[in-house]
Amino acid sequence: MKTKILFLLFLLGFGVSLFAQTSTKGYIIEIEGTSVIVDYTATDVKVGDRLQVFSEPKVMVHPVTKLQITKVGELIATLEITETKSNYSVAGKVIPVNAIAKLKVGDKVSLSGQMCAKELPQNKKINSAVTQIREKDESVVPEKKVETKGFSKNKKADVVIVKENNDDLENDRNIFINQQVGYNYILDPGDYKFLNLTWKLKMGYFLSKNLAVLPFVGAAYTKMTIPSKATSVYEPYLLTINGKLTKFWQWNTYRTSEKSSSTTSIYFGSGVRYYLSDIFVEPNFYMQIPEEGDVFFSIDGQIGYSKSISEKLALELSVGYMTGLGENSGGSGMLEGNIGLSYYIK
């Protein structure tokens, strides 16, 4: 009998000792910047383990039965262990990150018995839906669009289907229509003056996010002016002096009249456009058909800037250089300046 009593006292002492040891574990002992130090040691937790911090339970009184009902504390934060020591551990990750302001030394922490909320991925491209677990009381602010399905009122965690907004991964534009007017300056006009105005209607089709092909039609109005020109001529003239006819010479200046002619031509062409953010480069090939004369061909290269006015409308400015091909082209290069509007269709 005495032996049994001693054995029971031993078990009771061991249990009290064990309870004393475990009850003193699970507290925040320091907060340093964005890291939380807890009293769990390397024997209690390992790197990657997660702890939960709950608010204090609240006692409520039923208005009819007057019974006391204990409301479980709400989840304040989830701590992820990043470093373990012999007498403490460091949680370098707090979820959500803004919850660290709500923590204080002495708060009770406990090992998570279930999956805790994970932060939504940032700066990571996702091509398919992924499932994240979000704590009902955890304030997660995702950077991406979030669709939620099947929320349960009786469960701690809800399943959230997260779909990333892939505007930067998939092309959201299919075609665009562009109208453009421009002025061309001929670099070597000779003795003539030129006015060259153009109009183009382009239809672009996107092969990828940045690359589009664009056939187009257009018209050009060209006015050529032969300026007036002064010519000096050394000419003789007769003058009667004392009844005698005498011949003299002098310089006379004559000015020709200004002459102008204009022509309109139509052209067909195709090109490609490559976008570098708001900047684009565009090489084109033209077949030009004038009112009089032979058909000739030209090529040009443009660099432009596209400024969005609305979701589908953009103002475009571009400059470029055009040169003719073949004998009928005249062989003179032109500088181009264009302004236009593009309407994008998804």
Side-chain angles (χ1 to χ4, degrees):
M1 184 70 179
K2 184 177 181 180
T3 304
K4 290 183 179 181
I5 293 173
L6 291 175
F7 180 71
L8 290 174
L9 290 175
F10 171 76
L11 290 179
L12 179 60
F14 179 78
V16 171
S17 175
L18 181 62
F19 175 78
Q21 288 179 0
T22 56
S23 63
T24 58
K25 287 288 184 72
Y27 291 92
I28 295 176
I29 57 177
E30 189 65 65
I31 299 175
E32 295 180 350
T34 58
S35 298
V36 178
I37 301 176
V38 297
D39 56 6
Y40 281 112
T41 66
T43 59
D44 302 317
V45 293
K46 62 182 181 300
V47 174
D49 283 351
R50 293 193 167 188
L51 309 175
Q52 292 178 325
V53 184
F54 288 89
S55 62
E56 291 294 330
K58 180 180 179 181
V59 177
M60 303 176 293
V61 178
H62 193 282
V64 177
T65 63
K66 305 304 180 182
L67 294 176
Q68 290 186 345
I69 302 172
T70 302
K71 180 183 178 183
V72 179
E74 298 179 347
L75 180 67
I76 299 175
T78 301
L79 312 179
E80 183 173 314
I81 300 298
T82 56
E83 186 179 356
T84 60
K85 299 292 183 181
S86 60
N87 53 354
Y88 68 91
S89 296
V90 179
K93 188 174 183 181
V94 179
I95 305 170
V97 292
N98 59 353
I100 195 168
K102 302 176 183 179
L103 303 179
K104 62 183 182 298
V105 173
D107 281 348
K108 188 77 172 64
V109 297
S110 60
L111 280 169
S112 175
Q114 57 184 355
M115 293 185 65
C116 299
K118 295 182 179 179
E119 289 183 304
L120 295 179
Q122 299 179 5
N123 302 324
K124 184 176 181 181
K125 296 179 179 178
I126 304 174
N127 294 322
S128 61
V130 296
T131 302
Q132 299 287 351
I133 304 299
R134 186 182 70 181
E135 294 293 342
K136 178 167 292 186
D137 297 317
E138 185 175 5
S139 56
V140 178
V141 184
E143 292 185 354
K144 308 299 181 182
K145 293 181 179 178
V146 177
E147 297 179 2
T148 59
K149 293 182 179 180
F151 275 83
S152 171
K153 295 182 179 179
N154 300 320
K155 293 184 179 181
K156 188 70 178 178
D158 295 319
V159 177
V160 181
I161 304 300
V162 181
K163 292 184 179 179
E164 181 164 353
N165 184 8
N166 286 332
D167 290 343
D168 58 337
L169 305 180
E170 299 179 1
N171 179 35
D172 60 351
R173 302 173 295 185
N174 292 322
I175 62 176
F176 68 89
I177 301 172
N178 173 265
Q179 287 200 70
Q180 184 183 87
V181 292
Y183 171 78
N184 296 339
Y185 175 76
I186 299 178
L187 294 175
D188 187 16
D191 295 331
Y192 305 97
K193 294 190 298 184
F194 285 91
L195 174 65
N196 189 272
L197 303 176
T198 61
W199 170 83
K200 301 183 185 81
L201 176 63
K202 303 179 179 180
M203 175 76 74
Y205 177 77
F206 283 93
L207 300 177
S208 66
K209 172 181 171 62
N210 298 83
L211 183 65
V213 293
L214 55 161
F216 55 86
V217 296
Y221 171 79
T222 303
K223 180 180 180 181
M224 182 181 69
T225 301
I226 303 175
S228 62
K229 187 175 181 181
T231 304
S232 296
V233 180
Y234 193 58
E235 297 179 324
Y237 70 97
L238 298 176
L239 184 63
T240 302
I241 301 176
N242 296 327
K244 184 179 179 180
L245 191 61
T246 305
K247 184 179 182 180
F248 294 92
W249 292 84
Q250 67 177 13
W251 286 97
N252 292 323
T253 300
Y254 300 93
R255 180 172 291 275
T256 60
S257 60
E258 186 174 86
K259 296 181 180 180
S260 299
S261 62
S262 60
T263 182
T264 301
S265 58
I266 61 173
Y267 51 84
F268 303 91
S270 62
V272 294
R273 177 181 288 189
Y274 187 81
Y275 286 86
L276 298 167
S277 186
D278 295 332
I279 306 297
F280 63 85
V281 291
E282 182 183 313
N284 298 295
F285 175 79
Y286 301 83
M287 179 181 70
Q288 194 160 340
I289 307 173
E291 288 180 329
E292 298 178 359
D294 298 326
V295 175
F296 64 93
F297 301 92
S298 302
I299 57 173
D300 80 348
Q302 296 183 28
I303 181 169
Y305 173 74
S306 180
K307 173 64 176 178
S308 296
I309 300 176
S310 64
E311 181 182 358
K312 296 184 177 180
L313 193 65
L315 175 68
E316 296 183 351
L317 303 173
S318 65
V319 293
Y321 174 79
M322 174 188 288
T323 185
L325 300 175
E327 297 178 355
N328 298 329
S329 66
S332 179
M334 293 185 290
L335 296 178
E336 302 176 281
N338 304 288
I339 184 171
L341 288 174
S342 284
Y343 182 77
Y344 292 88
I345 303 174
K346 295 185 178 180

